[in-house]
Amino acid sequence: MSEPRLAIAFGGGGARGLAHIHVVQALEELGVTPVAISGTSIGSIVGAGLASGMTSAEMRDYALETFSDPSEVLSRFWRMRPTSLGEMFSQSRLSLGNINPVNVIKAFAPEAIPNRFEDLGIPFQALATDFYGQKEVVLSEGNLTEALAASSALPAIFSPVMHDGKTLIDGGIVNAVPYELLFDKADIVVAVDVVGGPENSRGETPSRIEALSGASQLMMQATTRLKRQMQPPHVYIEPPVKGVAVLDFMKVRKILQRTEATLDLTKRAVDAALAGNFSKANYT
């Protein structure tokens, strides 16, 4: 009897998505290779990395080398500067809301991730939001760099991405964990949710940025909860990302340490699902 086929969806959540690395490690230790992958926002980047053949160790090393060193981050931001007079005068200044996410992906994504979907080793889908079309857009062919940028284009931080005549923004706006894209591709579908929720650690009224971020989290929680009630995944993983802010990438070492319990949770949940015991396959 053949082993069941497994597919995995990596959810969006900014720096909280660093917890996805533990999930990748769990699959490796179980000897499981997904037959299909989907992702939103940071989940699309991790998913593309897995689909390109990156190991969890390579992902961890890359994240630590890139974000633990402020000079390395500044160096990569320097690469995003205009390289010609035409580009200089055609772009808005580099500030929140005006940052070009395509340039960010080019500067920060691992080199192991190819430029096109067709060069990936595992079928992969990135999810973005069609701003004016008011619906989700599934990207699975052509320019992968542009797709990752669109999927990660968080409003108020990044500018939208124009693609096939559509204005695309962060996929988490309509679908934070796109696991339903995988039901027709595998026997077991795993969903990893790193949205988290607002936390009042200081006992103060939230700032405008904190309120905007927290409201987005609450919206994503509500839509994911409703989706799970209608059609739940076989395995649902919710790493312990409490207290991690969306832009906390410079705290990469602390985030990986704080979420390391995800490794054991994922191994137990996936192992139970592979054994057909789905009642033990959901961990939050």
Side-chain angles (χ1 to χ4, degrees):
M1 186 174 180
S2 61
E3 286 287 324
R5 299 168 303 152
L6 180 144
I8 186 165
F10 294 104
R16 295 182 288 271
L18 291 167
H20 288 317
I21 295 173
H22 297 302
V23 177
V24 176
Q25 182 180 351
L27 296 180
E28 292 169 351
E29 294 186 6
L30 290 170
V32 175
T33 300
V35 297
I37 302 168
S38 66
T40 290
S41 198
I42 184 66
S44 71
I45 298 172
V46 174
L50 179 57
S52 68
M54 289 186 73
T55 66
S56 61
E58 290 170 336
M59 293 181 187
R60 182 180 291 104
D61 289 345
Y62 184 84
L64 289 169
E65 291 169 4
T66 302
F67 296 108
S68 294
D69 183 358
S71 63
E72 177 63 21
V73 174
L74 288 174
S75 173
R76 290 172 184 264
F77 268 108
W78 177 249
R79 298 177 202 172
M80 294 164 51
R81 73 191 189 284
T83 56
S84 67
L85 285 175
E87 186 178 2
M88 183 180 299
F89 288 109
S90 66
Q91 291 188 356
S92 302
R93 67 185 186 279
L94 188 63
S95 61
L96 290 183
N98 291 322
I99 299 174
N100 185 334
V102 175
N103 290 342
V104 173
I105 294 297
K106 290 179 178 178
F108 285 94
E111 291 184 3
I113 298 177
N115 294 322
R116 299 186 63 79
F117 280 92
E118 291 77 11
D119 295 325
L120 294 171
I122 299 174
F124 169 68
Q125 297 168 291
L127 193 122
T129 300
D130 181 349
F131 184 75
Y132 292 112
Q134 304 168 38
K135 61 183 179 181
E136 66 180 45
V137 174
V138 179
L139 304 169
S140 60
E141 59 184 19
N143 192 318
L144 178 58
T145 302
E146 192 174 89
L148 298 181
S151 183
S152 306
L154 187 65
I157 296 178
F158 300 114
S159 58
V161 173
M162 299 304 299
H163 178 81
D164 284 344
K166 300 181 179 66
T167 302
L168 303 183
I169 60 173
D170 193 297
I173 300 300
V174 292
N175 193 341
V177 194
Y179 64 81
E180 71 283 356
L181 302 179
L182 304 171
F183 280 121
D184 63 343
K185 295 175 172 58
D187 305 304
I188 297 173
V189 172
V190 179
V192 189
D193 183 354
V194 293
V195 166
E199 180 184 10
N200 190 0
S201 58
R202 303 188 306 273
E204 302 173 354
T205 300
S207 66
R208 285 183 295 176
I209 294 296
E210 290 172 335
L212 177 62
S213 175
S216 297
Q217 288 175 288
L218 294 174
M219 176 190 67
M220 294 177 193
Q221 285 179 357
T223 55
T224 301
R225 189 181 305 117
L226 177 61
K227 190 170 66 170
R228 287 179 65 198
Q229 292 173 353
M230 298 173 61
Q231 189 178 30
H234 302 100
V235 180
Y236 180 76
I237 305 293
E238 194 173 13
V241 295
K242 184 178 180 180
V244 180
V246 69
L247 296 179
D248 273 351
F249 287 98
M250 300 289 284
K251 299 177 181 178
V252 53
R253 195 174 300 276
K254 290 183 179 179
I255 294 172
L256 289 173
Q257 292 173 346
R258 178 179 294 188
T259 60
E260 62 185 358
T262 306
L263 173 62
D264 185 57
L265 292 178
T266 303
K267 288 175 68 175
R268 285 190 283 145
V270 172
D271 196 43
L274 291 172
N277 192 348
F278 293 103
S279 63
K280 296 183 178 181
N282 287 263
Y283 287 87
T284 62

